[in-house]
Amino acid sequence: MNDAVRLLALYFPQFHAIPENDEWWGQGFTDWVNVRKARPQYRGQYQPRVPLGGNYYDQSRKETLAWQIDLARRHGVHGFCHYHYWFDGKQLLETPTNLVLDSKEKEFDFPLCLAWANETWSRRWDGRDHHILQKQSHEPDPALWMRHFEYLFRAWSDERAVKIDGKPVFLVYRAHIIREIGAMFDLWRAEAVRRGLPGLYLVAMKQYEFPMPEVLRHFDATMQFQPFEALYSPDFPAPGVETRRIFQPLRLLPERMQDMLRSVRYNLFPALTFYDYEMVWKHMLKVEREGGIPAFPGAFVDWDNTARYVKRARIFKGASPERFAYWFRRLVEVTATRPDPERIIFMNAWNEWAEGTYLEPDERHGLKYLEAVRDALEAVNSTHGGSVQGMAAD
């Protein structure tokens, strides 16, 4: 049991070139391409976002990963939660995670877990949702499940793995679209125990109300993926058109049909969408649990995805290091009163530059967001007797 509040930052591995992105988006494409070309859509908008010192890094280089870990560690971040992309045996953007797992040097001694972003890839950024790039079929085949397990076990058995009750933590983004998820998890859990682990700690990421709440019986906990878990909440005080409850049944449609509807919306409603930063953060302080299982709170830095969606971007007005510092401190205070193991906060994100949500330093704000994280964790944990520095992965 650990009394300290710990912060895990979602880690995005899109900043290195891969052959598939070369084919789909152009030679040498990484997310920096969209970040660099972003332009303000209204007076005073902070675009383009520029990393401090023009550090448009390459995540296929070990020195980049070591720099990120050192920066995070020095500012109280407990570990990274790497996005994991697996498509029935085909893996994408795995290089940063593999480099970390292969690196046993002291500078890489930093907790990590994986979050399976298990959706089909399409040309959503340019409104062509119906144009499939990489299909995610979730074929219910035990042989494919075991092939996936073999890769995951590499991370789960690593001494740096984030654990709860000795069990490695694994997150799933869209639980309800996985066919025979119960059978898959049963196989994984049994095999993990056979290989010496005490089990697995499986977490369902919640972005909106679960279309099939019964899926939660297969999980140990949920994670509130912010800011959209709050924004899509039925009791959010100012819902947008696309967050109204009337649209919730659409999430039960097959992915391809949902993509077609998104494409129609993209072309019929070419306008910026604004949300209130303060209102969303206030809602995020609520302690909510579902399915009788623990719920991990989420946080977010800022949000402005103009770099990807241009005139159809979502923007949270009122974000600043000062307002983030105020709200994050309050979230840490609330989290410190929660029961174990719910004193882990998931931050969206460490480096989602094209979405405008990142802790990494930029030219406008420098290290202010990171300093706010460090100061809040140190202040609250010192009061509650915990420690930000030197905590084990478990």
Side-chain angles (χ1 to χ4, degrees):
M1 185 171 181
N2 198 315
D3 291 331
V5 176
R6 293 180 284 174
L7 181 69
L8 295 176
L10 295 171
Y11 182 86
F12 187 60
Q14 179 66 286
F15 299 100
H16 67 287
I18 61 173
E20 291 83 359
N21 275 338
D22 288 347
E23 177 184 348
W24 298 330
W25 304 103
Q27 189 67 31
F29 176 86
T30 74
D31 238 36
W32 290 129
V33 171
N34 288 332
V35 172
R36 285 175 184 264
K37 71 182 182 182
R39 293 295 179 266
Q41 301 301 303
Y42 57 89
R43 184 178 301 174
Q45 185 186 15
Y46 177 27
Q47 288 292 348
R49 305 293 179 99
V50 180
L52 185 64
N55 183 20
Y56 296 98
Y57 53 71
D58 180 349
Q59 288 170 306
S60 68
R61 301 171 61 88
K62 281 185 65 172
E63 52 264 41
T64 293
L65 309 180
W67 167 77
Q68 291 175 315
I69 288 171
D70 177 65
L71 185 64
R73 183 190 289 118
R74 287 190 289 109
H75 289 87
V77 178
H78 177 64
F80 285 152
C81 181
H82 289 223
Y83 280 116
H84 165 69
Y85 304 93
W86 180 277
F87 304 85
D88 294 327
K90 181 179 177 61
Q91 196 169 1
L92 296 174
L93 300 174
E94 71 276 20
T95 294
T97 303
N98 288 348
L99 282 174
V100 170
L101 291 174
D102 287 339
S103 301
K104 305 303 183 182
E105 301 94 325
K106 184 178 180 180
E107 58 264 40
F108 291 93
D109 186 12
F110 194 62
L112 81 158
C113 60
L114 302 181
W116 185 15
N118 61 312
E119 290 186 304
T120 291
W121 282 14
S122 65
R123 296 188 68 93
R124 189 166 300 172
W125 296 346
D126 56 5
R128 294 158 63 187
D129 302 64
H130 57 284
H131 186 157
I132 301 301
L133 301 176
Q134 182 64 56
K135 180 68 176 176
Q136 179 71 269
S137 67
H138 292 297
E139 188 68 28
D141 180 348
L144 289 175
W145 295 342
M146 280 305 301
R147 186 176 175 187
H148 195 183
F149 176 90
E150 293 296 342
Y151 178 82
L152 294 173
F153 188 75
R154 181 182 172 199
W156 293 341
S157 59
D158 192 285
E159 62 183 11
R160 295 161 293 183
V162 175
K163 300 183 182 73
I164 293 174
D165 297 330
K167 302 173 183 178
V169 173
F170 182 63
L171 291 81
V172 177
Y173 187 58
R174 290 282 185 265
H176 66 278
I177 66 175
I178 301 177
R179 290 186 284 168
E180 298 188 29
I181 187 172
M184 182 180 74
F185 282 175
D186 287 346
L187 177 65
W188 286 359
R189 283 187 166 112
E191 187 64 17
V193 170
R194 191 185 72 80
R195 298 191 189 192
L197 292 176
L200 303 174
Y201 198 92
L202 304 174
V203 181
M205 299 171 71
K206 182 190 177 190
Q207 182 176 3
Y208 42 69
E209 298 303 297
F210 288 105
M212 300 168 61
E214 59 272 18
V215 77
L216 294 181
R217 72 179 185 271
H218 304 297
F219 287 87
D220 299 287
T222 63
M223 180 272 260
Q224 295 165 335
F225 185 77
Q226 302 294 5
F228 296 103
E229 191 278 335
L231 194 67
Y232 284 98
S233 175
D235 60 342
F236 187 71
V241 172
E242 77 280 14
T243 65
R244 295 187 188 278
R245 300 181 73 173
I246 191 174
F247 293 104
Q248 290 181 16
L250 298 180
R251 300 193 182 104
L252 290 172
L253 294 174
E255 273 193 284
R256 188 169 182 83
M257 293 183 67
Q258 291 191 52
D259 283 339
M260 292 178 66
L261 291 173
R262 277 190 290 260
S263 184
V264 170
R265 177 188 178 276
Y266 186 98
N267 289 290
L268 292 181
F269 304 101
L272 301 174
T273 304
F274 295 98
Y275 306 100
D276 185 271
Y277 188 77
E278 305 277 326
M279 185 180 295
V280 172
W281 260 103
K282 184 177 181 180
H283 197 83
M284 284 164 46
L285 298 179
K286 294 184 176 182
V287 177
E288 298 180 352
R289 300 181 182 89
E290 295 181 63
I293 55 178
F296 296 107
F300 79 114
V301 186
D302 186 2
W303 195 278
D304 178 348
N305 57 13
T306 299
R308 286 186 179 160
Y309 295 100
V310 194
K311 294 184 182 300
R312 299 169 178 84
R314 290 179 169 190
I315 300 164
F316 285 70
K317 298 294 291 289
S320 71
E322 294 74 24
R323 298 316 298 159
F324 170 80
Y326 170 79
W327 288 110
F328 183 69
R329 170 68 180 266
R330 291 192 63 186
L331 179 64
V332 176
E333 290 171 344
V334 170
T335 303
T337 67
R338 296 173 71 137
D340 191 60
E342 294 180 12
R343 290 189 288 274
I344 297 175
I345 298 172
F346 285 85
M347 176 66 72
N348 191 11
W350 175 256
N351 61 337
E352 279 268 19
W353 284 85
E355 302 281 12
T357 185
Y358 50 86
L359 285 172
E360 288 181 334
D362 66 11
E363 282 292 315
R364 173 169 288 192
H365 300 301
L367 293 164
K368 288 182 179 178
Y369 282 107
L370 278 169
E371 290 167 348
V373 163
R374 178 200 62 201
D375 293 348
L377 290 168
E378 286 184 350
V380 175
N381 283 330
S382 63
T383 301
H384 288 262
S387 171
V388 175
Q389 300 296 328
M391 292 184 291
D394 188 3

